[in-house]
Amino acid sequence: MSNETTIDLACENISKHFSDFTAVDNISFTIPKGSFFSILGPSGCGKTTLLRMLAGFEQPSSGDILIKQKSMVDVPPNKRPVNMVFQHLALFPTMNVEENIGYGLRRQSVPKNEIVERVAAVLDRVGLAGSGTKRVEQLSGGQRQRIALARCLVLNPTLLLLDEPLGALDLKLREQMKIELKLLQKEFGTTFVYITHDQSEALVMSDQIAVMNKGKFEQVGTPHELYYQPATAFVAGFVGDSNRWQGNIESADSATVLVSTSDGLSFKAKIMGDEAMSAGNRVEIFVRPEAISVNRTAPSTATDNQLVCQVETILFDGAKSQIIAVEEESGGKITVTLPQTSDFANLQQGDTLYLNWSTEQTLCFIDSSRGA
Amino acid sequence: MSSLRVTSPFKLGLWLLLAPLCLWLVLLIILPHLELLVFSFTEPEDGSFTFGFYQEFFLEPLYWRTFVRTAVMSIMATILTLLIAFPVAFYIAKMLKGRSKGIVFAMCLIPFWVSELVRTFGWMILLRESGVISNFLQWSGMSAGPVELLYTDATIMLGLVYTSMLFMVVPLVSTLDSLDDSYIEAGYDLGGTNWNVLREIVIPHAVPGIVSGCIIVFMLSLGNYLTPVLLGGKDSLWFTEQIYTQFITRFNWEQGSAFGLLLLLLSSLIVWAGLKLSGQSFAKTMG
Ligand SMILES: Nc1ncnc2c1ncn2[C@@H]1O[C@H](COP(=O)(O)OP(=O)(O)OP(=O)(O)O)[C@@H](O)[C@H]1O
Ligand SMILES: [Mg+2]
């Protein structure tokens, strides 16, 4: 029973309907204490709605929300041990930094001198010591971000909710804040529930990620699990880059299938998902660009899947450079990672490449988009 | 030289645009006040310079007491209007969405399609001795005889608040509209009660709207003639009534001019003091 006490948040079958539209559809999950939990999903999938239910701004249509084993359904937002960092931060423009951070403490009737101390302490911890008297509009984007965090963290909430807080920042700053957020979370030990539609944010920062689509959780797992063992075609396509083909099953055994794609290629693939597969099923297969081994000469030993291709385009992006190659007969295209070895230093358009990869790295899902 | 030629058509356009405004200012505001100024300092018999008409205001208790009474009642009417208009404006700006918002806002506007005279007359029909309310009270047995509800200070106040409502609601709705919902939500999220959120987030944000609404309502009440005279009767003792009496009944234009200027001066002084007290500047409020 010891692990029960370390669960900070448990959602049991919560749903939210707006008239006839279902924004959140029967979701259950638990978040252990001190972890960084991300909810990752495309725009409009119901992430904000879910978070607002946790904060208390929306009532779930059905289901229960438990924080530290206490039901929160009838608790108003100002009484929940939960704080939220809003998408546009919502720092009060009529107050300076100190007053903003002190706002929540004043609500708890903390004595004045203690407020001053705690505000100074939290400012120090987010690396902005001494900027207490600044006005909100005098701060840079990244500083505002940290003030918004400090304003919540000073209250020691059980749960901190963050709704795409990095969305408004430019790319450079976002990369930097990603790391900073993770470090702050570790340091404070607060449980974070972080919403994003940016998979790299989720992968870098999270202990656990829930991938959300159309109001449902497709999969909950560690970044590693989502990346290497996606449970559904949606997760495989949404998390990380993949080469993606549609095709039909030629033959199937217990763990692998032989698929002929609509381009006319033929691959051996590993069965994923919980649906049974048999010959004739329409399927989708996914191969990560970095899983494909690239050679300039024909390999001596045969592997599960191999293609002979011509270089069509080289997308140079430093260490993340990619090659788009074309298979001769079918004209099908495939993206692979450009190896950083001297062999490939003078790679040119039209050069021949020998690609091969294993069945293990070829993930096959039933194509649900057009029915089985 | 060429730059001059480029800017001149623009300048002409600017002047054409400003011309009506300038004419309005000069002909209807500045000119009459200059005239008043000259009048108020001139002895009618020999045309010599005199302070007498201003002295009259301060020496005759009726005059300055009427003025103080007018100012105090106007301030009270302004505060009352603010207290009633704020919840209405908050409801319109923050609680209502889409169509219903437009409808309720329009409902606030509709009374102002009718002229002030007719509106005030409406109040008189309701409130006079043989009026609707008096009849109802007698019919229902709550009162034995006819009840006169007109000609009291409370009636004047009622009329002033009713007349000024819109001019408070409109600026309040527009400032409250510009307050993003997430600030209010953040206020609750960090543990604030309704009162805390109102006190620390909504009101500080709405200050410019509150101040401009108050200035408009105060000036309108102070300068109102129809409502106090019709609802307050002969003894309403409103300062504009004194000015009217001087100009029209007594034909004492010099005294009337002095009162007119004093009204302008003193009301400006009160507005200035109000702005200072609330820590606002005029430019900030109007901008
Ligand atoms: N108050 C509401 N009334 C009706 N529909 C709503 C309401 N709030 C949200 N929705 C709908 O619910 C769905 C999910 O909205 P939500 O804001 O949760 O999406 P999201 O995942 O946060 O998207 P984004 O990444 O764009 O912020 C949307 O289709 C939206 O139109
Ligand atoms: Mg959202």
Side-chain angles (χ1 to χ4, degrees), chain A residues 18 21 23 43-49 164:
Chain A
F18 293 113
F21 177 80
S43 188
C45 71
K47 306 181 296 286
T48 299
T49 309
E164 303 199 35

Side-chain angles (χ1 to χ4, degrees), chain A residues 112-134:
Chain A
K112 270 219 173 84
N113 51 346
E114 194 188 329
I115 292 183
V116 175
E117 273 167 34
R118 282 172 70 176
V119 168
V122 80
L123 273 175
D124 191 37
R125 287 179 83 174
V126 297
L128 285 172
S131 39
T133 51
K134 282 194 182 155

Side-chain angles (χ1 to χ4, degrees), chain B residues 26-147:
Chain B
V26 170
L27 292 181
L28 290 172
I29 312 275
I30 298 178
L31 215 59
H33 276 99
L34 284 177
E35 186 79 6
L36 287 184
L37 194 69
V38 173
F39 260 130
S40 67
F41 284 114
T42 333
E43 188 68 52
E45 262 91 82
D46 53 5
S48 64
F49 181 87
T50 175
F51 263 125
F53 298 110
Y54 290 91
Q55 242 168 18
E56 178 73 10
F57 172 81
F58 292 102
L59 291 181
E60 170 61 55
L62 175 73
Y63 294 148
W64 62 261
R65 279 201 192 139
T66 307
F67 183 83
V68 170
R69 176 185 143 82
T70 308
V72 169
M73 295 243 320
S74 297
I75 291 171
M76 276 164 62
T78 307
I79 293 170
L80 215 61
T81 311
L82 176 64
L83 291 181
I84 299 171
F86 197 88
V88 174
F90 189 82
Y91 186 73
I92 293 175
K94 285 284 147 243
M95 314 289 232
L96 295 176
K97 298 267 176 292
R99 259 179 75 92
S100 48
K101 186 172 183 161
I103 292 171
V104 175
F105 203 30
M107 273 164 59
C108 288
L109 271 168
I110 284 171
F112 292 84
W113 290 2
V114 178
S115 87
E116 193 185 355
L117 191 64
V118 176
R119 255 183 291 137
T120 312
F121 193 61
W123 278 116
M124 292 178 75
I125 291 174
L126 282 180
L127 298 176
R128 68 182 167 189
E129 223 172 333
S130 56
V132 176
I133 294 178
S134 174
N135 279 341
F136 175 79
L137 289 176
Q138 287 173 71
W139 171 80
S140 65
M142 274 190 270
S143 150
V147 189

